[in-house]
Amino acid sequence: MLPAILGGTPIRSNPLPYAKQYIDDNDCRAVSEVLKSDFLTTGPMAKKFEEVIADYVGAKYAVAFANGTAALHGACFAAGIQPGDEVITTPITFAASSNCVLYLGGTPVFADINKDNFNINIDDIAKKITKKTKAIIPVDYTGQAVDIDALKNLVKGTEIVIIEDSAHALGTKYKEKRVGGLVDMTEFSFHPVKTITTGEGGIITTNNKEYYTKLTNFRSHFITRDVNQLENKDGGGWYYEQLDLGFNYRITDFQCALGISQMKKLDWFISRRKEIVNIYNEAFTNLDGVILQKNEGFSDTVNHLYVLKLDLPKLKADRKEIFQALIAENIGVHVHYIPVYWHPYYQKLGYEKGLCPNAEDLYNCMLSVPLFPAMSNDDIRDVINGFYKIISYYRK
Ligand SMILES: *Cc1c(COP(=O)(O)O)cnc(C)c1O
């Protein structure tokens, strides 16, 4: 079959996106009820949403933020990151995972990934730990949990804080337990492409009360009315104090109402994602020219992304040509992610290309395949047919 990019007929007539939110009438009702109530900004719905998420992931506390990036900024603040401190993370992630370190004047240090599961490599983290290392931000990339026990062993006896970036991994279990309560702090994102959405939104879950208080204050200019925290205990009914430098990172109550409503569909979101991933795995295992991401036994993964590696030596085209050919078939592939330190801003900070060879190799041959719960069985079939068509055409 002639690829559409060369003048053939595309596999489908309308573009299929790589990800899309799922919003139903219950979500709309939940939001509009709050719009007619007394609270628009962070109020009772935010509190309830935090309880729902904390309860779901098995953490004592949760603090909701305006977005996942703000939540990571808060977590880095609570961990005490300051100029001179180093924080280790992966280059195969959204820039937020390391930008949050830069916001506080800290230095992101990139550890390489594993070739087979694409998550951060724990041995490489070990090599990059120095006296200045203050925290590690591992990312549950595509939704697959990092090896949390191995990480905890690595930092045992040190003061190094683990902030898990689980933006992709709501619902994922590590050794039977959901991620969210297993390390010092865990971040989730509710951007529309993520497992549930609040439009924009994010949250930190933790079992540590001190972090909880800091995160809550940080979200709102570090202004408090809590008498236990005030320096002047006798200020009067109007009185409040700003105790440190915080931000306005509040999330609205109508967004949190959306989040609560979305949580009611989470079981279905998860089972549908898993169903699609199983169909893909079966179809792509037999497609010569692509390589699947390994899933480790300790991770019961809820995939946010489905990432394939192109087996480039077997193909006559590079990733860019394959990508464009699939887009021409109306299959909305994407690439997650450009190694963070390749971006011009990071290059100007002095990070050099070649730093993490496995990450760079993966970047050169990876594609994200459309994955979202509202995909129909026809959509799934189109994706598989599109890949078979293009990979077969370009196979040597
Ligand atoms: C989505 C995402 C975030 C947070 O992003 P926001 O858009 O700010 O919610 C953080 N880390 C990773 C890996 C992400 O994919």
Side-chain angles (χ1 to χ4, degrees):
M1 271 193 294
L2 191 63
I5 199 165
L6 301 174
T9 310
I11 282 285
R12 55 184 282 141
S13 53
N14 62 321
L16 179 71
Y18 89 89
K20 196 178 176 218
Q21 70 275 14
Y22 180 90
I23 301 285
D24 64 13
D25 289 346
N26 291 330
D27 294 328
C28 298
R29 262 194 299 276
V31 170
S32 74
E33 263 172 42
V34 174
L35 287 174
K36 291 179 213 151
S37 77
D38 290 338
F39 272 94
L40 291 187
T41 188
T42 314
M45 281 298 156
K47 188 144 194 61
K48 186 166 173 214
F49 183 48
E50 290 169 344
E51 281 165 12
V52 168
I53 296 285
D55 188 51
Y56 179 77
V57 302
K60 271 197 195 139
Y61 310 101
V63 182
F65 282 83
N67 54 69
T69 307
L72 280 171
H73 187 184
C76 284
F77 177 89
I81 309 299
Q82 39 184 336
D85 293 338
E86 295 176 354
V87 178
I88 302 171
T89 190
T90 169
I92 298 296
T93 185
F94 181 56
S97 313
S98 60
N99 283 346
C100 59
V101 177
L102 293 174
Y103 297 154
L104 290 155
T107 305
V109 173
F110 295 97
D112 208 350
I113 57 158
N114 298 311
K115 280 184 178 176
D116 49 1
N117 67 22
F118 314 159
N119 265 337
I120 194 165
N121 179 289
I122 312 267
D123 296 330
D124 205 42
I125 295 179
K127 283 188 203 142
K128 295 197 163 147
I129 290 180
T130 71
K131 283 203 182 88
K132 294 180 181 168
T133 307
K134 188 87 182 215
I136 301 172
I137 305 182
V139 176
D140 300 324
Y141 174 69
T142 69
Q144 178 171 197
V146 291
D147 192 347
I148 292 169
D149 286 346
L151 258 177
K152 282 182 161 171
N153 262 330
L154 186 64
V155 303
K156 206 187 257 166
T158 74
E159 308 255 280
I160 297 172
V161 177
I162 300 177
I163 302 167
E164 192 172 355
D165 183 343
S166 299
H168 297 183
L170 184 64
T172 287
K173 289 179 187 158
Y174 174 77
K175 297 185 180 172
E176 319 281 303
K177 286 192 182 131
R178 290 202 179 105
V179 299
L182 306 177
V183 296
D184 297 299
M185 287 176 269
T186 305
E187 173 257 345
F188 297 95
S189 165
F190 309 120
H191 179 278
V193 298
K194 304 287 161 67
T195 308
I196 65 158
T197 190
T198 57
E200 293 280 356
I203 207 162
I204 299 293
T205 55
T206 183
N207 293 314
N208 181 314
K209 186 153 192 210
E210 209 174 301
Y211 289 150
Y212 170 71
T213 307
K214 280 189 180 160
L215 290 160
T216 310
N217 285 341
F218 186 79
R219 175 176 65 185
S220 201
H221 290 282
F222 242 92
I223 284 172
T224 185
R225 291 171 189 275
D226 176 3
V227 278
N228 299 313
Q229 296 183 52
L230 294 176
E231 288 188 10
N232 174 3
K233 308 276 183 207
D234 195 21
W238 70 89
Y239 189 73
Y240 59 84
E241 286 175 358
Q242 181 188 336
L243 303 173
D244 204 324
L245 186 60
F247 289 75
N248 177 357
Y249 278 162
R250 293 185 296 268
I251 187 169
T252 67
D253 247 24
F254 49 93
Q255 288 173 293
C256 291
L258 177 56
I260 294 164
S261 175
Q262 288 264 299
M263 281 301 282
K264 294 179 184 153
K265 292 183 274 286
L266 182 58
D267 285 346
W268 177 72
F269 288 162
I270 289 174
S271 64
R272 183 60 178 158
R273 280 182 182 272
K274 286 188 168 180
E275 201 169 69
I276 299 168
V277 165
N278 285 337
I279 298 171
Y280 280 166
N281 283 344
E282 213 165 292
F284 292 131
T285 308
N286 299 317
L287 177 58
D288 193 23
V290 301
I291 299 163
L292 275 59
Q293 178 186 14
K294 182 182 178 197
N295 190 77
E296 303 292 344
F298 54 68
S299 177
D300 178 0
T301 303
V302 177
N303 279 78
H304 153 60
L305 297 171
Y306 188 88
V307 172
L308 282 176
K309 243 160 91 166
L310 298 173
D311 198 351
L312 291 178
K314 291 188 174 167
L315 302 171
K316 288 180 288 194
D318 63 11
R319 193 265 311 276
K320 194 169 173 187
E321 287 173 87
I322 304 274
F323 177 93
Q324 279 159 349
L326 285 160
I327 294 289
E329 301 297 334
N330 283 320
I331 306 300
V333 283
H334 210 294
V335 175
H336 299 92
Y337 297 92
I338 301 164
V340 172
Y341 62 81
W342 276 21
H343 287 293
Y345 181 73
Y346 280 80
Q347 291 285 300
K348 273 180 236 155
L349 291 177
Y351 294 88
E352 281 175 23
K353 291 196 179 177
L355 198 60
C356 298
N358 293 348
E360 297 184 12
D361 286 350
L362 175 65
Y363 169 65
N364 285 324
C365 65
M366 79 203 308
L367 282 178
S368 303
V369 182
L371 174 63
F372 53 98
M375 279 175 83
S376 69
N377 291 341
D378 285 350
D379 293 334
I380 300 170
R381 189 207 54 210
D382 289 343
V383 171
I384 294 168
N385 289 345
F387 266 85
Y388 267 76
K389 177 180 171 184
I390 294 305
I391 297 297
S392 311
Y393 185 82
Y394 288 103
R395 201 160 40 221
K396 280 181 187 160

